Amino acid sequence: MTDYVNALAEHCPFLEPSQARGMTGWTVYEIAPGAHLYAVETELFHAGVQAAEWVRPLARRTNGVLTCENIVILGQTTDADHRELMTWPHWALKNLYGPVGVMFGKFARGVQERDRFGQSISPAPFSFLPVRASVRPRDPKFLKDTPDLAAALAAAEDDGLDVFEHTPCEWKAVRAWASSLPVPRKR
């Protein structure tokens, strides 16, 4: 893990200072043997909510932009790979928390990704959902395929808003709400 995180730091200027200040956390979620897609989605969503609610108050502090919690996924389901398992929780969480300035990412084990400059990032040795304070001048660029979400993030202000004010926090309702959102425009 250390080698991967060190390699990732060259693509993220916030990672090294975050680690140096002890502001990068790691939570491990292990899939129970025999678990199915829906049950794991539910757990990942709730782990994401917990991480986001931990990040929110810290993001307002000095150096709060360095706050990051990563949810590592271990194990397998019988009916989906990690990329599929992360899809709906990631989509729902980034739409719920983007307007209050919390960013969500997703990295599937072994998948080649590119940074904002198009440079290759080492494939992740494990799947994980990073949850972090947004960097408002930069992060909307990561969301160019979702212009409404990019605009909400650019104008984000965390005034303590209950992100579940208009959406129940039960996964079935959240997933239905998330599936009603405009899908990203692919270039």
Side-chain angles (χ1 to χ4, degrees):
M1 183 167 126
T2 302
D3 290 342
Y4 173 70
V5 172
N6 290 338
L8 203 55
E10 83 177 55
H11 301 280
C12 175
F14 300 94
L15 185 55
E16 195 172 325
S18 175
Q19 287 186 277
R21 287 179 174 84
M23 298 176 77
T24 301
W26 297 89
T27 298
V28 176
Y29 170 73
E30 190 165 0
I31 298 169
H36 293 279
L37 172 70
Y38 187 82
V40 175
E41 282 181 340
T42 302
E43 293 298 323
L44 288 177
F45 174 74
H46 287 291
V49 168
Q50 185 175 20
E53 292 300 333
W54 178 79
V55 166
R56 287 177 75 179
L58 297 174
R60 292 187 288 256
R61 295 182 180 176
T62 303
N63 296 316
V65 73
L66 301 176
T67 305
C68 181
E69 179 68 21
N70 299 282
I71 303 165
V72 176
I73 304 162
L74 300 178
Q76 298 296 322
T77 66
T78 57
D79 54 353
D81 64 15
H82 286 188
R83 197 175 217 176
E84 190 176 355
L85 292 171
M86 293 187 292
T87 297
W88 282 110
H90 172 260
W91 179 241
L93 289 161
K94 72 191 243 178
N95 279 281
L96 281 167
Y97 284 95
V100 295
V102 176
M103 277 288 284
F104 281 81
K106 67 178 175 187
F107 293 89
R109 182 183 65 226
V111 174
Q112 185 69 57
E113 301 283 351
R114 298 205 173 274
D115 68 11
R116 63 191 162 120
F117 301 113
Q119 299 296 315
S120 235
I121 299 173
S122 297
F126 47 82
S127 298
F128 68 107
L129 292 167
V131 185
R132 63 176 176 78
S134 69
V135 181
R136 285 175 192 86
R138 293 178 150 193
D139 285 340
K141 295 172 192 164
F142 286 117
L143 303 172
K144 59 183 162 236
D145 293 338
T146 52
D148 292 342
L149 183 55
L153 184 67
E157 184 177 325
D158 193 351
D159 57 2
L161 172 78
D162 176 2
V163 299
F164 293 103
E165 182 178 357
H166 303 293
T167 305
C169 66
E170 178 200 272
W171 176 237
K172 183 177 181 178
V174 170
R175 195 174 195 278
W177 167 78
S179 67
S180 74
L181 299 171
V183 294
R185 299 184 312 218
K186 292 295 178 192
R187 290 170 275 122

